[in-house]
Amino acid sequence: MSTTHKEEMQKLQAKQRAKVAAASNPNRGLILVHTGNGKGKSSSAFGVMVRALGWKQKVGVVQFIKGSWITGERRFFDQLGGIIWHTMGEGFTWDTQDRVRDIKAAKMAFSKAHELMVSGNLDLLILDEINIALRYDYLDVRSVIDSLNSRDKRTSIILTGRDAAPAICEIADLITEMTEIKHPFAAGIKAQRGIDF
């Protein structure tokens, strides 16, 4: 005799409620990593930012790679106001082609990020494309971990970018890997305003 849909859902509901009842509040901000070769790492982080703003939380962004490129999300959040936003990179690493300059920019961005994460003023801080800065050894992973561990307990951090360092993943509470299945650029389609930037 097969169980009915209602019975199956009741069993699932009971399991889920048991998990929720057993869970506890860590009384600290979480570390989230958005990585992988697929599109959507920063977009997802900005979605979480919208959620935090919906709860009237204080949020900030430090962008490590993106330079003066105008993006829809920056335009929107600038219009909204009240967000701490620092774009401190100089653009794609293959455009600058100057390792010394890229390291200097990454270190300046991380200095600002550290200041924000220990301040106690933010509920959420997005370190956009920091994983790229770590991948190219523009920043020391141990120093980044030390800063993450010294963050104010109020502050959750999202680190975005491909190739997240294993040591960062080790301390993360959540890791999401975006996997590219198909991308329009591979078919020769340029980045689209409102979709890609």
Side-chain angles (χ1 to χ4, degrees):
M1 180 177 180
S2 64
T3 59
T4 66
H5 178 74
K6 183 176 181 179
E7 289 170 330
E8 288 175 12
M9 292 302 108
Q10 286 174 336
K11 287 178 186 175
L12 285 174
Q13 182 184 56
K15 283 182 182 177
Q16 185 62 24
R17 286 183 175 169
K19 286 180 184 177
V20 170
S24 62
N25 188 333
N27 295 314
R28 63 168 174 80
L30 302 179
I31 296 174
L32 297 81
V33 174
H34 295 183
T35 193
N37 70 344
K39 177 180 163 29
K41 296 174 287 293
S42 297
S43 301
S44 178
F46 295 134
V48 175
M49 187 167 147
V50 168
R51 182 173 286 159
L53 290 168
W55 288 105
K56 306 224 182 295
Q57 294 182 352
K58 301 292 183 192
V59 299
V61 176
V62 176
Q63 294 186 298
F64 282 77
I65 302 296
K66 293 172 178 128
S68 58
W69 194 19
I70 298 169
T71 64
E73 61 268 17
R74 179 67 191 263
R75 289 168 54 94
F76 172 76
F77 288 119
D78 280 350
Q79 290 169 22
L80 190 62
I83 292 136
I84 296 168
W85 195 300
H86 298 278
T87 300
M88 302 184 75
E90 296 193 40
F92 296 113
T93 52
W94 57 80
D95 286 334
T96 60
Q97 299 178 18
D98 185 335
R99 182 172 173 76
V100 172
R101 202 168 96 192
D102 288 341
I103 289 171
K104 183 178 177 185
K107 286 184 175 180
M108 285 176 54
F110 189 70
S111 177
K112 177 54 71 177
H114 176 80
E115 176 188 319
L116 292 171
M117 71 176 81
V118 300
S119 71
N121 297 327
L122 295 178
D123 297 290
L124 177 66
L125 176 62
I126 297 171
L127 305 181
D128 191 35
E129 304 289 0
I130 190 173
N131 293 336
I132 300 296
L134 288 164
R135 170 189 177 189
Y136 287 115
D137 296 321
Y138 297 165
L139 298 171
D140 174 63
V141 71
R142 188 73 249 160
S143 298
V144 172
I145 289 170
D146 289 345
S147 286
L148 291 171
N149 287 333
S150 69
R151 74 191 183 282
D152 187 86
K153 68 178 186 174
R154 167 186 179 183
T155 307
S156 290
I157 311 282
I158 304 178
L159 301 92
T160 75
R162 294 174 180 237
D163 302 314
I168 297 287
C169 293
E170 190 76 27
I171 65 163
D173 295 290
L174 177 143
I175 303 168
T176 298
E177 184 174 21
M178 309 291 183
T179 303
E180 182 178 313
I181 308 282
K182 187 175 186 179
H183 197 294
F185 189 66
I189 298 172
K190 288 184 177 181
Q192 299 294 296
R193 182 180 288 181
I195 298 293
D196 297 299
F197 63 93

